[in-house]
């Protein structure tokens, strides 16, 4: 860390403590060359996840959009919002932990369907019918058959 007084590039940390409800770390430093003290703040840098849509356009990942789609699939089902929020958090964490900064909407949809399959099979089929754009009753029945065969 560069000293704001003399410009020397080495300092030692004298004190460290979290601030802003753990969102930042405040560090008191002392310049090794001139001995003057100064304060720095350290924050976590969040790198946005970019979603590549089917038409090749790009937009930032929006957890509310994903949650909204999953909520629509679970309408009139006995699935708590907390359960869906946890599922969306798991999907978001999975995406953040991957090395890819760009992810396809197809991949996100597949992750959502996996979670919904664990949570509620009817919600899964509803989500899949919209997401995969079933053309007719036969494609819908094929998806139901796959679901039954997995059991």
């Amino acid at each position: 860390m560069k000293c704001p007084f003399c410009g020397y590039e080495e300092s030692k940390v004298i004190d460290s403590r979290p601030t802003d409800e753990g969102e930042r770390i405040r560090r008191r430093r002392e310049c090794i060359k001139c001995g003057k003290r100064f304060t720095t703040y350290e924050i976590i840098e969040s790198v946005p996840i970019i979603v590549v849509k089917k038409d090749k356009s790009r937009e930032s990942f929006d957890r509310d959009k994903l949650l909204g789609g999953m909520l629509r699939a679970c309408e009139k089902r006995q699935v708590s919002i907390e359960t869906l929020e946890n599922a969306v958090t798991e999907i978001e964490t999975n995406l953040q932990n991957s090395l890819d900064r760009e992810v396809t909407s197809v991949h996100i949809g597949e992750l959502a369907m996996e979670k919904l399959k664990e949570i509620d099979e009817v919600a899964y089929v509803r989500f899949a019918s919209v997401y995969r754009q079933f053309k007719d009753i036969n494609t819908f029945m094929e998806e139901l058959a796959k679901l039954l065969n997995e059991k």
Side-chain angles (χ1 to χ4, degrees):
M1 180 58 60
K2 193 175 188 179
C3 174
F5 303 104
C6 70
Y8 192 66
E9 293 196 11
E10 287 189 46
S11 63
K12 62 181 177 181
V13 176
I14 296 170
D15 181 42
S16 256
R17 64 180 67 166
T19 62
D20 299 340
E21 300 171 8
E23 296 294 319
R24 293 188 201 185
I25 297 176
R26 177 185 180 270
R27 297 196 193 279
R28 283 294 290 160
R29 297 177 176 271
E30 184 177 305
C31 177
I32 293 175
K33 185 177 179 185
C34 71
K36 292 193 177 181
R37 292 182 178 189
F38 57 99
T39 302
T40 60
Y41 292 91
E42 192 176 294
I43 61 169
I44 295 174
E45 181 181 36
S46 63
V47 179
I49 299 168
I50 303 299
V51 179
V52 180
K53 300 177 84 174
K54 290 177 184 175
D55 66 358
K56 304 296 182 210
S57 66
R58 288 168 163 69
E59 65 181 46
S60 294
F61 174 76
D62 183 357
R63 70 175 277 121
D64 292 334
K65 194 171 179 181
L66 178 59
L67 181 61
M70 293 174 78
L71 278 168
R72 278 189 299 281
C74 292
E75 235 172 62
K76 297 183 182 179
R77 302 293 301 160
Q78 291 186 352
V79 178
S80 71
I81 291 179
E82 183 181 340
T83 301
L84 291 177
E85 286 176 341
N86 290 340
V88 170
T89 298
E90 287 177 30
I91 292 169
E92 186 175 20
T93 301
N94 182 328
L95 296 172
Q96 287 284 353
N97 290 339
S98 76
L99 298 176
D100 299 326
R101 290 298 107 204
E102 288 191 353
V103 63
T104 64
S105 59
V106 172
H107 180 63
I108 294 171
E110 294 295 328
L111 293 173
M113 285 192 295
E114 285 175 24
K115 290 292 177 193
L116 284 172
K117 192 184 285 188
E118 296 168 11
I119 294 168
D120 186 282
E121 290 175 340
V122 172
Y124 160 75
V125 172
R126 286 178 178 171
F127 190 90
S129 70
V130 172
Y131 177 72
R132 291 196 176 141
Q133 299 174 342
F134 293 160
K135 302 290 185 234
D136 55 29
I137 193 72
N138 292 330
T139 53
F140 191 79
M141 292 302 289
E142 287 170 13
E143 192 63 35
L144 287 175
K146 282 186 213 172
L147 190 60
L148 289 171
N149 287 336
E150 287 177 8
K151 286 187 163 196

